Amino acid sequence: MSTTQKLSPQVYAQDGTPIPPAVSREHLLDLTRDAYEHAGTHLERGDVDIELAEVADKAACSLLRDRWNDDFPIAAYTELLTAIAALRAVHGFDPTPTAREVLDWAERLGNQLGEGLEGPTSRCYVQFLDGPYRGAVLAVPQSLRMGDMGPAAALTLPIAWGDTADPGRGEVRYQRSPAADRGTWLYRLDGDVREDARPHITVPSAPTEGGRA
């Protein structure tokens, strides 16, 4: 029987802290590409960032559209957004939002749309029928000064286009329909907008040094 001791591959720092093994970024990218290849999608290494960002955009917009539907499986969007955010962090890509961050962003946006209102307000729901925000529902303030007159006649919302290598930013304007439909105020696109425009959903600042934000 051999008495030779097996050497542990684990390496330790001087204070005894285990040092994780180094994994090349190229290897991680190839693992992701392999997963997409199994699904029938071929990606070059430089395409992984763009592909993951596009998936996150689609899931975030779908969440904004379907989160008010009781019969829709929102868990799929929630888990997908978390998985994409984690995968992008592993690759060192710019962050994309989790579902919680998408909903927080939607709440902040709704509040901002009513910042110019004076006096008492209440919450109402608005839905966008076309354009980059098609199907999305937001809760926004409405003024109670002159009775239940509904939210603003026009809303201006942030949009984005392009990809992570060539991003574009801008705004889109929506015009309100005369009356609410079953308690929801409807808005239609006012003017032309790029076909590839989408809601510009921002991500909170990166974690500060020494801990998470």
Side-chain angles (χ1 to χ4, degrees), residues 41 54 81 92 144 157 174 198:
T41 301
E54 289 180 350
L81 284 165
L144 296 179
L157 306 171
Y174 280 88
R198 60 188 183 275

Side-chain angles (χ1 to χ4, degrees), residues 19 21 31 45 49 51 68-69 82 103 113 129 131 208:
I19 300 176
L31 290 175
R45 285 178 178 172
D49 181 12
E51 178 69 22
W68 305 106
N69 297 338
T82 300
L103 299 181
L113 294 174
L129 300 178
T208 57

Side-chain angles (χ1 to χ4, degrees), residues 71-134:
D71 59 345
F72 202 89
I74 300 303
Y77 298 141
T78 301
E79 294 170 2
L80 177 58
L81 284 165
T82 300
I84 294 298
L87 186 55
R88 290 183 62 83
V90 169
H91 283 303
F93 296 147
D94 290 338
T96 52
T98 63
R100 179 69 266 165
E101 290 168 338
V102 171
L103 299 181
D104 288 345
W105 170 85
E107 183 176 359
R108 291 194 303 271
L109 177 60
N111 291 335
Q112 291 169 6
L113 294 174
E115 285 181 347
L117 298 178
E118 297 180 357
T121 62
S122 66
R123 306 283 281 183
C124 66
Y125 293 98
V126 304
Q127 184 173 26
F128 304 95
L129 300 178
D130 52 7
Y133 280 78
R134 181 174 59 87

Side-chain angles (χ1 to χ4, degrees), residues 25-26 28-33 36 41-58 83-97 162-167 169 198 203:
R25 192 164 185 264
E26 290 76 13
L28 294 176
L29 288 171
D30 288 341
L31 290 175
T32 303
R33 293 173 59 222
Y36 272 93
T41 301
H42 176 75
L43 297 177
E44 299 296 335
R45 285 178 178 172
D47 298 333
V48 174
D49 181 12
I50 294 173
E51 178 69 22
L52 294 177
E54 289 180 350
V55 172
D57 277 335
K58 293 173 184 176
I84 294 298
L87 186 55
R88 290 183 62 83
V90 169
H91 283 303
F93 296 147
D94 290 338
T96 52
D163 54 39
T164 57
D166 185 24
R169 303 288 183 262
R198 60 188 183 275
V203 183

Side-chain angles (χ1 to χ4, degrees), residues 5 14 27-28 37 48 61 76 114 117 124 126 137 160 173 177 189-190 192 196 198:
Q5 294 184 349
Q14 291 184 351
H27 178 61
L28 294 176
E37 198 75 43
V48 174
C61 291
L117 298 178
C124 66
V126 304
V137 176
R173 179 181 172 88
S177 297
L189 191 63
D190 182 15
D192 297 328
D196 61 342
R198 60 188 183 275

Side-chain angles (χ1 to χ4, degrees), residues 124-127 129 142 148-154 174-188:
C124 66
Y125 293 98
V126 304
Q127 184 173 26
L129 300 178
Q142 62 178 340
D148 189 6
M149 299 296 292
Y174 280 88
Q175 196 74 26
R176 194 191 74 192
S177 297
D181 179 21
R182 289 179 290 184
T184 300
W185 293 87
L186 305 179
Y187 283 77
R188 290 191 180 277

